[in-house]
Amino acid sequence: MDDELFTDLMEGMKEAVAYQQGKASPATRVHTVEVEDIDVKALRQRLGMTQEGFASAFSFKVNTVAQWEQRRRFPRGPERTLLRVIEREPDAVRRALAG
């Protein structure tokens, strides 16, 4: 994924959060896209990470990761989108969160 695409994706996520919080301007258009369920445990294991390592690397709470894996909670909204990007481009997310 190139940097411009990643930047556009992050801006879109910020706009979606602003809209959800009632901070978006009336001119802001928000498009929702249904994203398939993500098997967080399989993703984490594919990356060779512990729950603690996965949570730390991608700014999640360990308890949240555990609940997703046990299917007691399900990622929604920006969490779900971020997990999809991690699934496809984990190094891009690491770079973005590091800088």
Side-chain angles (χ1 to χ4, degrees):
M1 177 185 313
D2 64 24
D3 289 349
E4 183 178 336
L5 178 59
F6 185 76
T7 300
D8 289 347
L9 179 61
M10 292 302 290
E11 286 300 316
M13 288 174 47
K14 289 176 187 175
E15 289 176 14
V17 170
Y19 180 79
Q20 181 183 22
Q21 295 173 343
K23 298 177 185 174
S25 68
T28 302
R29 293 185 62 166
V30 177
H31 303 275
T32 53
V33 176
E34 192 60 35
V35 180
E36 289 180 32
D37 283 339
I38 298 170
D39 186 339
V40 176
K41 184 174 185 177
L43 170 59
R44 177 183 59 76
Q45 289 175 334
R46 183 175 60 86
L47 295 174
M49 303 174 86
T50 63
Q51 285 183 345
E52 293 80 6
F54 185 84
S56 176
F58 300 114
S59 300
F60 297 121
K61 293 180 182 177
V62 176
N63 186 49
T64 300
V65 172
Q67 289 191 23
W68 288 340
E69 290 187 7
Q70 295 165 5
R71 311 296 275 172
R72 285 190 279 183
R73 281 190 53 206
F74 298 90
R76 305 178 94 191
E79 295 171 334
R80 199 171 179 174
T81 301
L82 180 57
L83 286 165
R84 181 62 67 201
V85 177
I86 292 167
E87 183 177 59
R88 295 182 181 167
E89 296 289 338
D91 292 334
V93 177
R94 288 184 182 110
R95 285 192 308 273
L97 294 174

mmCIF file of all heavy atoms in Angstrom, residues 16-53:
data_model
loop_
_atom_site.group_PDB
_atom_site.id
_atom_site.type_symbol
_atom_site.label_atom_id
_atom_site.label_comp_id
_atom_site.label_asym_id
_atom_site.label_seq_id
_atom_site.Cartn_x
_atom_site.Cartn_y
_atom_site.Cartn_z
ATOM 1 N N ALA A 16 -14.955 9.717 9.875
ATOM 2 C CA ALA A 16 -16.024 8.843 10.359
ATOM 3 C C ALA A 16 -16.208 8.999 11.866
ATOM 4 O O ALA A 16 -17.334 9.060 12.369
ATOM 5 C CB ALA A 16 -15.734 7.394 9.994
ATOM 6 N N VAL A 17 -15.104 9.075 12.595
ATOM 7 C CA VAL A 17 -15.182 9.258 14.045
ATOM 8 C C VAL A 17 -15.799 10.620 14.363
ATOM 9 O O VAL A 17 -16.657 10.735 15.238
ATOM 10 C CB VAL A 17 -13.786 9.107 14.691
ATOM 11 C CG1 VAL A 17 -13.809 9.541 16.146
ATOM 12 C CG2 VAL A 17 -13.297 7.669 14.570
ATOM 13 N N ALA A 18 -15.374 11.663 13.657
ATOM 14 C CA ALA A 18 -15.930 13.003 13.874
ATOM 15 C C ALA A 18 -17.438 13.003 13.618
ATOM 16 O O ALA A 18 -18.207 13.611 14.373
ATOM 17 C CB ALA A 18 -15.237 14.019 12.979
ATOM 18 N N TYR A 19 -17.863 12.331 12.584
ATOM 19 C CA TYR A 19 -19.288 12.248 12.268
ATOM 20 C C TYR A 19 -20.037 11.537 13.392
ATOM 21 O O TYR A 19 -21.077 12.005 13.857
ATOM 22 C CB TYR A 19 -19.505 11.512 10.946
ATOM 23 C CG TYR A 19 -20.950 11.384 10.564
ATOM 24 C CD1 TYR A 19 -21.637 12.451 9.995
ATOM 25 C CD2 TYR A 19 -21.638 10.200 10.784
ATOM 26 C CE1 TYR A 19 -22.976 12.338 9.670
ATOM 27 C CE2 TYR A 19 -22.973 10.072 10.452
ATOM 28 C CZ TYR A 19 -23.634 11.149 9.887
ATOM 29 O OH TYR A 19 -24.959 11.030 9.571
ATOM 30 N N GLN A 20 -19.487 10.419 13.850
ATOM 31 C CA GLN A 20 -20.127 9.656 14.914
ATOM 32 C C GLN A 20 -20.236 10.484 16.191
ATOM 33 O O GLN A 20 -21.221 10.385 16.910
ATOM 34 C CB GLN A 20 -19.337 8.375 15.186
ATOM 35 C CG GLN A 20 -19.949 7.506 16.268
ATOM 36 C CD GLN A 20 -19.119 6.285 16.568
ATOM 37 O OE1 GLN A 20 -17.936 6.251 16.295
ATOM 38 N NE2 GLN A 20 -19.727 5.282 17.140
ATOM 39 N N GLN A 21 -19.267 11.330 16.450
ATOM 40 C CA GLN A 21 -19.269 12.164 17.651
ATOM 41 C C GLN A 21 -20.057 13.460 17.454
ATOM 42 O O GLN A 21 -20.099 14.299 18.333
ATOM 43 C CB GLN A 21 -17.832 12.489 18.059
ATOM 44 C CG GLN A 21 -17.055 11.265 18.484
ATOM 45 C CD GLN A 21 -15.583 11.546 18.727
ATOM 46 O OE1 GLN A 21 -15.047 12.568 18.301
ATOM 47 N NE2 GLN A 21 -14.934 10.629 19.402
ATOM 48 N N GLY A 22 -20.654 13.642 16.284
ATOM 49 C CA GLY A 22 -21.443 14.823 16.013
ATOM 50 C C GLY A 22 -20.619 16.060 15.708
ATOM 51 O O GLY A 22 -21.105 17.178 15.778
ATOM 52 N N LYS A 23 -19.350 15.864 15.353
ATOM 53 C CA LYS A 23 -18.452 16.989 15.090
ATOM 54 C C LYS A 23 -18.257 17.266 13.604
ATOM 55 O O LYS A 23 -17.587 18.219 13.255
ATOM 56 C CB LYS A 23 -17.086 16.724 15.730
ATOM 57 C CG LYS A 23 -17.137 16.596 17.233
ATOM 58 C CD LYS A 23 -15.775 16.262 17.795
ATOM 59 C CE LYS A 23 -15.846 16.017 19.284
ATOM 60 N NZ LYS A 23 -14.570 15.555 19.821
ATOM 61 N N ALA A 24 -18.821 16.446 12.753
ATOM 62 C CA ALA A 24 -18.627 16.618 11.309
ATOM 63 C C ALA A 24 -19.497 17.761 10.800
ATOM 64 O O ALA A 24 -20.611 17.973 11.270
ATOM 65 C CB ALA A 24 -18.968 15.328 10.568
ATOM 66 N N SER A 25 -18.980 18.488 9.828
ATOM 67 C CA SER A 25 -19.746 19.579 9.237
ATOM 68 C C SER A 25 -20.840 18.996 8.344
ATOM 69 O O SER A 25 -20.709 17.875 7.856
ATOM 70 C CB SER A 25 -18.833 20.491 8.425
ATOM 71 O OG SER A 25 -18.354 19.806 7.283
ATOM 72 N N PRO A 26 -21.905 19.769 8.110
ATOM 73 C CA PRO A 26 -22.984 19.263 7.257
ATOM 74 C C PRO A 26 -22.516 18.897 5.853
ATOM 75 O O PRO A 26 -23.124 18.076 5.200
ATOM 76 C CB PRO A 26 -23.978 20.420 7.214
ATOM 77 C CG PRO A 26 -23.659 21.263 8.392
ATOM 78 C CD PRO A 26 -22.191 21.069 8.665
ATOM 79 N N ALA A 27 -21.423 19.494 5.400
ATOM 80 C CA ALA A 27 -20.932 19.211 4.054
ATOM 81 C C ALA A 27 -20.169 17.890 3.989
ATOM 82 O O ALA A 27 -19.895 17.384 2.920
ATOM 83 C CB ALA A 27 -20.023 20.340 3.583
ATOM 84 N N THR A 28 -19.830 17.339 5.131
ATOM 85 C CA THR A 28 -19.072 16.088 5.155
ATOM 86 C C THR A 28 -19.962 14.936 4.723
ATOM 87 O O THR A 28 -21.046 14.750 5.252
ATOM 88 C CB THR A 28 -18.520 15.802 6.565
ATOM 89 O OG1 THR A 28 -17.698 16.893 6.956
ATOM 90 C CG2 THR A 28 -17.713 14.523 6.589
ATOM 91 N N ARG A 29 -19.483 14.181 3.755
ATOM 92 C CA ARG A 29 -20.211 12.995 3.308
ATOM 93 C C ARG A 29 -19.508 11.779 3.864
ATOM 94 O O ARG A 29 -18.306 11.625 3.720
ATOM 95 C CB ARG A 29 -20.234 12.922 1.782
ATOM 96 C CG ARG A 29 -21.050 14.048 1.171
ATOM 97 C CD ARG A 29 -21.141 13.875 -0.286
ATOM 98 N NE ARG A 29 -21.837 12.606 -0.536
ATOM 99 C CZ ARG A 29 -22.329 12.260 -1.703
ATOM 100 N NH1 ARG A 29 -22.233 13.077 -2.718
ATOM 101 N NH2 ARG A 29 -22.925 11.117 -1.875
ATOM 102 N N VAL A 30 -20.246 10.930 4.511
ATOM 103 C CA VAL A 30 -19.685 9.727 5.108
ATOM 104 C C VAL A 30 -20.274 8.528 4.381
ATOM 105 O O VAL A 30 -21.488 8.417 4.238
ATOM 106 C CB VAL A 30 -19.984 9.652 6.617
ATOM 107 C CG1 VAL A 30 -19.448 8.361 7.195
ATOM 108 C CG2 VAL A 30 -19.395 10.859 7.334
ATOM 109 N N HIS A 31 -19.416 7.657 3.915
ATOM 110 C CA HIS A 31 -19.833 6.436 3.237
ATOM 111 C C HIS A 31 -19.522 5.269 4.152
ATOM 112 O O HIS A 31 -18.403 5.156 4.635
ATOM 113 C CB HIS A 31 -19.088 6.255 1.908
ATOM 114 C CG HIS A 31 -19.268 7.414 0.984
ATOM 115 N ND1 HIS A 31 -20.346 7.525 0.147
ATOM 116 C CD2 HIS A 31 -18.519 8.520 0.786
ATOM 117 C CE1 HIS A 31 -20.252 8.650 -0.535
ATOM 118 N NE2 HIS A 31 -19.158 9.260 -0.172
ATOM 119 N N THR A 32 -20.488 4.426 4.384
ATOM 120 C CA THR A 32 -20.227 3.251 5.189
ATOM 121 C C THR A 32 -20.006 2.059 4.270
ATOM 122 O O THR A 32 -20.663 1.928 3.239
ATOM 123 C CB THR A 32 -21.390 2.948 6.161
ATOM 124 O OG1 THR A 32 -22.605 2.889 5.412
ATOM 125 C CG2 THR A 32 -21.495 3.993 7.237
ATOM 126 N N VAL A 33 -19.083 1.237 4.676
ATOM 127 C CA VAL A 33 -18.768 0.031 3.928
ATOM 128 C C VAL A 33 -18.820 -1.125 4.903
ATOM 129 O O VAL A 33 -18.199 -1.070 5.970
ATOM 130 C CB VAL A 33 -17.355 0.118 3.296
ATOM 131 C CG1 VAL A 33 -16.995 -1.180 2.589
ATOM 132 C CG2 VAL A 33 -17.277 1.300 2.346
ATOM 133 N N GLU A 34 -19.575 -2.144 4.579
ATOM 134 C CA GLU A 34 -19.654 -3.309 5.444
ATOM 135 C C GLU A 34 -18.404 -4.150 5.243
ATOM 136 O O GLU A 34 -18.067 -4.529 4.131
ATOM 137 C CB GLU A 34 -20.903 -4.134 5.121
ATOM 138 C CG GLU A 34 -21.213 -5.196 6.142
ATOM 139 C CD GLU A 34 -21.460 -4.639 7.538
ATOM 140 O OE1 GLU A 34 -22.029 -3.556 7.669
ATOM 141 O OE2 GLU A 34 -21.080 -5.334 8.500
ATOM 142 N N VAL A 35 -17.710 -4.402 6.338
ATOM 143 C CA VAL A 35 -16.471 -5.180 6.302
ATOM 144 C C VAL A 35 -16.765 -6.534 6.933
ATOM 145 O O VAL A 35 -17.414 -6.622 7.980
ATOM 146 C CB VAL A 35 -15.348 -4.458 7.087
ATOM 147 C CG1 VAL A 35 -14.067 -5.255 7.063
ATOM 148 C CG2 VAL A 35 -15.126 -3.062 6.525
ATOM 149 N N GLU A 36 -16.278 -7.587 6.302
ATOM 150 C CA GLU A 36 -16.499 -8.936 6.827
ATOM 151 C C GLU A 36 -15.939 -9.072 8.233
ATOM 152 O O GLU A 36 -15.023 -8.356 8.619
ATOM 153 C CB GLU A 36 -15.771 -9.963 5.948
ATOM 154 C CG GLU A 36 -16.359 -10.172 4.595
ATOM 155 C CD GLU A 36 -15.566 -11.205 3.807
ATOM 156 O OE1 GLU A 36 -15.019 -12.140 4.422
ATOM 157 O OE2 GLU A 36 -15.500 -11.063 2.594
ATOM 158 N N ASP A 37 -16.491 -10.025 8.998
ATOM 159 C CA ASP A 37 -15.932 -10.318 10.311
ATOM 160 C C ASP A 37 -14.466 -10.694 10.168
ATOM 161 O O ASP A 37 -14.063 -11.294 9.167
ATOM 162 C CB ASP A 37 -16.680 -11.479 10.969
ATOM 163 C CG ASP A 37 -18.027 -11.054 11.531
ATOM 164 O OD1 ASP A 37 -18.202 -9.847 11.774
ATOM 165 O OD2 ASP A 37 -18.875 -11.920 11.733
ATOM 166 N N ILE A 38 -13.710 -10.345 11.174
ATOM 167 C CA ILE A 38 -12.279 -10.631 11.164
ATOM 168 C C ILE A 38 -11.982 -11.608 12.287
ATOM 169 O O ILE A 38 -12.403 -11.400 13.424
ATOM 170 C CB ILE A 38 -11.473 -9.333 11.349
ATOM 171 C CG1 ILE A 38 -11.750 -8.394 10.185
ATOM 172 C CG2 ILE A 38 -9.982 -9.632 11.486
ATOM 173 C CD1 ILE A 38 -11.220 -7.004 10.370
ATOM 174 N N ASP A 39 -11.275 -12.674 11.978
ATOM 175 C CA ASP A 39 -10.844 -13.638 12.980
ATOM 176 C C ASP A 39 -9.573 -13.083 13.610
ATOM 177 O O ASP A 39 -8.470 -13.270 13.092
ATOM 178 C CB ASP A 39 -10.595 -14.999 12.327
ATOM 179 C CG ASP A 39 -10.278 -16.090 13.335
ATOM 180 O OD1 ASP A 39 -9.868 -15.766 14.470
ATOM 181 O OD2 ASP A 39 -10.428 -17.268 12.970
ATOM 182 N N VAL A 40 -9.747 -12.374 14.720
ATOM 183 C CA VAL A 40 -8.635 -11.677 15.356
ATOM 184 C C VAL A 40 -7.568 -12.665 15.821
ATOM 185 O O VAL A 40 -6.368 -12.422 15.658
ATOM 186 C CB VAL A 40 -9.128 -10.791 16.520
ATOM 187 C CG1 VAL A 40 -7.967 -10.129 17.241
ATOM 188 C CG2 VAL A 40 -10.103 -9.735 15.989
ATOM 189 N N LYS A 41 -7.982 -13.786 16.366
ATOM 190 C CA LYS A 41 -7.016 -14.781 16.850
ATOM 191 C C LYS A 41 -6.174 -15.308 15.692
ATOM 192 O O LYS A 41 -4.940 -15.406 15.800
ATOM 193 C CB LYS A 41 -7.731 -15.930 17.555
ATOM 194 C CG LYS A 41 -6.780 -16.938 18.161
ATOM 195 C CD LYS A 41 -7.523 -17.976 18.973
ATOM 196 C CE LYS A 41 -6.562 -18.913 19.666
ATOM 197 N NZ LYS A 41 -7.280 -19.884 20.520
ATOM 198 N N ALA A 42 -6.814 -15.643 14.583
ATOM 199 C CA ALA A 42 -6.070 -16.150 13.420
ATOM 200 C C ALA A 42 -5.118 -15.081 12.884
ATOM 201 O O ALA A 42 -3.981 -15.386 12.514
ATOM 202 C CB ALA A 42 -7.034 -16.597 12.324
ATOM 203 N N LEU A 43 -5.572 -13.839 12.852
ATOM 204 C CA LEU A 43 -4.723 -12.744 12.394
ATOM 205 C C LEU A 43 -3.509 -12.604 13.302
ATOM 206 O O LEU A 43 -2.370 -12.530 12.841
ATOM 207 C CB LEU A 43 -5.518 -11.440 12.358
ATOM 208 C CG LEU A 43 -4.726 -10.149 12.127
ATOM 209 C CD1 LEU A 43 -3.973 -10.194 10.804
ATOM 210 C CD2 LEU A 43 -5.662 -8.944 12.189
ATOM 211 N N ARG A 44 -3.745 -12.559 14.597
ATOM 212 C CA ARG A 44 -2.653 -12.423 15.567
ATOM 213 C C ARG A 44 -1.659 -13.570 15.448
ATOM 214 O O ARG A 44 -0.446 -13.366 15.413
ATOM 215 C CB ARG A 44 -3.236 -12.359 16.988
ATOM 216 C CG ARG A 44 -2.171 -12.289 18.070
ATOM 217 C CD ARG A 44 -2.784 -12.307 19.444
ATOM 218 N NE ARG A 44 -3.582 -13.473 19.758
ATOM 219 C CZ ARG A 44 -3.093 -14.673 20.064
ATOM 220 N NH1 ARG A 44 -1.790 -14.894 20.066
ATOM 221 N NH2 ARG A 44 -3.896 -15.672 20.360
ATOM 222 N N GLN A 45 -2.171 -14.784 15.334
ATOM 223 C CA GLN A 45 -1.296 -15.954 15.217
ATOM 224 C C GLN A 45 -0.515 -15.937 13.910
ATOM 225 O O GLN A 45 0.659 -16.304 13.879
ATOM 226 C CB GLN A 45 -2.108 -17.246 15.347
ATOM 227 C CG GLN A 45 -2.601 -17.465 16.749
ATOM 228 C CD GLN A 45 -3.505 -18.687 16.881
ATOM 229 O OE1 GLN A 45 -4.146 -19.112 15.933
ATOM 230 N NE2 GLN A 45 -3.555 -19.241 18.084
ATOM 231 N N ARG A 46 -1.150 -15.490 12.830
ATOM 232 C CA ARG A 46 -0.451 -15.386 11.540
ATOM 233 C C ARG A 46 0.716 -14.418 11.636
ATOM 234 O O ARG A 46 1.764 -14.627 11.028
ATOM 235 C CB ARG A 46 -1.419 -14.939 10.453
ATOM 236 C CG ARG A 46 -0.781 -14.874 9.068
ATOM 237 C CD ARG A 46 -1.785 -14.554 7.976
ATOM 238 N NE ARG A 46 -2.464 -13.298 8.125
ATOM 239 C CZ ARG A 46 -1.990 -12.119 7.686
ATOM 240 N NH1 ARG A 46 -0.843 -12.056 7.063
ATOM 241 N NH2 ARG A 46 -2.692 -11.014 7.863
ATOM 242 N N LEU A 47 0.550 -13.377 12.452
ATOM 243 C CA LEU A 47 1.622 -12.403 12.643
ATOM 244 C C LEU A 47 2.647 -12.878 13.667
ATOM 245 O O LEU A 47 3.656 -12.211 13.891
ATOM 246 C CB LEU A 47 1.035 -11.055 13.077
ATOM 247 C CG LEU A 47 0.138 -10.360 12.051
ATOM 248 C CD1 LEU A 47 -0.495 -9.111 12.650
ATOM 249 C CD2 LEU A 47 0.917 -10.021 10.789
ATOM 250 N N GLY A 48 2.378 -14.028 14.304
ATOM 251 C CA GLY A 48 3.323 -14.592 15.275
ATOM 252 C C GLY A 48 3.420 -13.784 16.555
ATOM 253 O O GLY A 48 4.505 -13.657 17.127
ATOM 254 N N MET A 49 2.288 -13.262 17.003
ATOM 255 C CA MET A 49 2.290 -12.380 18.165
ATOM 256 C C MET A 49 1.440 -12.944 19.295
ATOM 257 O O MET A 49 0.464 -13.639 19.051
ATOM 258 C CB MET A 49 1.760 -10.999 17.774
ATOM 259 C CG MET A 49 2.534 -10.334 16.650
ATOM 260 S SD MET A 49 1.796 -8.789 16.105
ATOM 261 C CE MET A 49 2.577 -7.687 17.288
ATOM 262 N N THR A 50 1.831 -12.602 20.522
ATOM 263 C CA THR A 50 1.000 -12.900 21.685
ATOM 264 C C THR A 50 -0.124 -11.864 21.737
ATOM 265 O O THR A 50 -0.064 -10.837 21.048
ATOM 266 C CB THR A 50 1.808 -12.796 22.988
ATOM 267 O OG1 THR A 50 2.250 -11.432 23.148
ATOM 268 C CG2 THR A 50 3.005 -13.742 22.983
ATOM 269 N N GLN A 51 -1.123 -12.119 22.572
ATOM 270 C CA GLN A 51 -2.176 -11.119 22.744
ATOM 271 C C GLN A 51 -1.589 -9.798 23.237
ATOM 272 O O GLN A 51 -1.957 -8.726 22.757
ATOM 273 C CB GLN A 51 -3.234 -11.605 23.744
ATOM 274 C CG GLN A 51 -4.158 -12.649 23.195
ATOM 275 C CD GLN A 51 -5.229 -13.061 24.188
ATOM 276 O OE1 GLN A 51 -5.140 -12.775 25.383
ATOM 277 N NE2 GLN A 51 -6.252 -13.747 23.694
ATOM 278 N N GLU A 52 -0.657 -9.896 24.183
ATOM 279 C CA GLU A 52 -0.034 -8.692 24.736
ATOM 280 C C GLU A 52 0.752 -7.941 23.662
ATOM 281 O O GLU A 52 0.672 -6.722 23.555
ATOM 282 C CB GLU A 52 0.883 -9.039 25.916
ATOM 283 C CG GLU A 52 0.154 -9.565 27.134
ATOM 284 C CD GLU A 52 -0.225 -11.043 27.043
ATOM 285 O OE1 GLU A 52 0.177 -11.745 26.069
ATOM 286 O OE2 GLU A 52 -0.954 -11.504 27.938
ATOM 287 N N GLY A 53 1.505 -8.667 22.861
ATOM 288 C CA GLY A 53 2.297 -8.049 21.803
ATOM 289 C C GLY A 53 1.430 -7.412 20.735
ATOM 290 O O GLY A 53 1.715 -6.307 20.263
#
